[in-house]
Amino acid sequence: MCRLLYVNANNEFEISDYLVKFAEISKKSREYQGHGWGCAYLQNGKWNFYKNIKPIWEDNLSQFGKSKRIVAHARSAFKDEGIIVENNMPFYDDNYIFVFNGELRGVKIKEEGRIGAEKIFNYIKRFDKDGIKNAIIKGTELIKKRSAYIRAMNLIIVDKDSAYVYSHFNEDADYFTMHIKKSVNEVVVCSDPFTNDVGWSPIENNLLMELKCI
């Protein structure tokens, strides 16, 4: 069960300012979040991607420069399996960037992917005929129907114009509730509020939120 971060702002910010805070909550998490991490950051109109098998709190977070938009993921591998950098998120293609946190059991879908999260990403994209928002709605509903049990299925999908934040969990609200902090100039979504930071609100369970780029 992983930790997720999304930031979008009007003005460029130091990426490390947010990654350091994200690393702190990942390190302090009651679930170990040290099975590698990754991020995507927008610079000069182009997404750049970075993944490392190190825990995020052991990596050099000052290497990325500035951006107006970032997505990050700290990994807690299911049953401590598949701990290789290729399994780190974000997963991405030419249109979308995807991060996931959760646990599903007895999932009866056939899809390509190295790990469950990548299979979910690819499965949702099957329904991308009327936009990714509708694809998330249809894909997640079918996954729920075809799963024996879902502890949680939290995800963020980012495209060039928006971020789509979906939250669904059936237990442990303290751990699986995502949080958002919004102002005129900035929106931040994270699995936990930053330490000693105010202005955060919990994201309602079973909600799909569309956040247009600022």
Side-chain angles (χ1 to χ4, degrees):
M1 282 68 70
C2 311
R3 301 286 84 180
L4 315 178
L5 174 69
Y6 171 74
V7 185
N8 175 219
N10 258 335
N11 301 308
E12 284 195 334
F13 53 82
E14 290 288 345
I15 296 172
S16 61
D17 290 348
Y18 290 87
L19 292 183
V20 166
K21 295 173 183 178
F22 183 56
E24 182 179 14
I25 65 167
S26 298
K27 186 176 183 179
K28 290 182 176 179
S29 174
R30 72 168 197 247
E31 299 276 351
Y32 182 66
Q33 309 293 342
H35 294 134
W37 78 285
C39 67
Y41 53 101
L42 194 64
Q43 289 177 334
N44 300 316
K46 179 184 176 182
W47 284 103
N48 299 273
F49 299 94
Y50 175 87
K51 297 182 182 184
N52 197 313
I53 202 65
K54 289 182 181 178
I56 183 173
W57 56 87
E58 293 182 3
D59 206 352
N60 172 19
L61 303 180
S62 65
Q63 61 182 295
F64 304 107
K66 295 183 177 182
S67 179
K68 293 183 179 180
R69 220 173 165 210
I70 62 171
V71 187
H73 180 275
R75 186 172 183 227
S76 178
F78 182 63
K79 295 183 179 180
D80 295 344
E81 295 174 351
I83 304 171
I84 56 174
V85 73
E86 289 82 5
N87 289 340
N88 286 10
M89 288 174 254
F91 295 131
Y92 55 90
D93 61 17
D94 290 340
N95 299 311
Y96 304 116
I97 299 166
F98 173 90
V99 290
F100 173 84
N101 170 40
E103 181 183 330
L104 294 79
R105 302 170 190 166
V107 185
K108 295 181 179 178
I109 63 170
K110 291 183 178 180
E111 189 53 79
E112 293 183 358
R114 291 181 293 269
I115 61 174
E118 189 174 30
K119 291 177 182 179
I120 289 171
F121 180 35
N122 290 333
Y123 188 74
I124 287 171
K125 289 190 294 179
R126 284 190 188 186
F127 308 102
D128 185 19
K129 298 177 179 63
D130 300 311
I132 196 65
K133 183 176 182 179
N134 288 330
I136 295 169
I137 293 169
K138 187 167 185 178
T140 54
E141 285 304 310
L142 285 170
I143 289 168
K144 284 189 279 188
K145 289 177 182 177
R146 296 177 183 179
S147 300
Y149 181 68
I150 297 176
R151 284 190 70 200
M153 182 168 52
N154 293 340
L155 58 89
I156 302 173
I157 295 182
V158 175
D159 65 16
K160 62 183 179 65
D161 298 316
S162 302
Y164 301 87
V165 181
Y166 176 74
S167 175
H168 172 74
F169 54 85
N170 289 305
E171 60 178 84
D172 205 352
D174 285 346
Y175 181 75
F176 286 116
T177 298
M178 292 194 290
H179 297 79
I180 187 168
K181 181 178 180 179
K182 294 180 73 175
S183 68
V184 174
N185 296 313
E186 178 186 74
V187 59
V188 185
V189 175
C190 194
S191 295
D192 296 294
F194 294 157
T195 304
N196 299 321
D197 196 20
V198 298
W200 292 85
S201 301
I203 294 175
E204 184 180 343
N205 192 15
N206 297 310
L207 180 70
L208 174 57
M209 179 181 293
E210 180 179 358
L211 302 170
K212 291 286 189 182
C213 284
I214 295 175

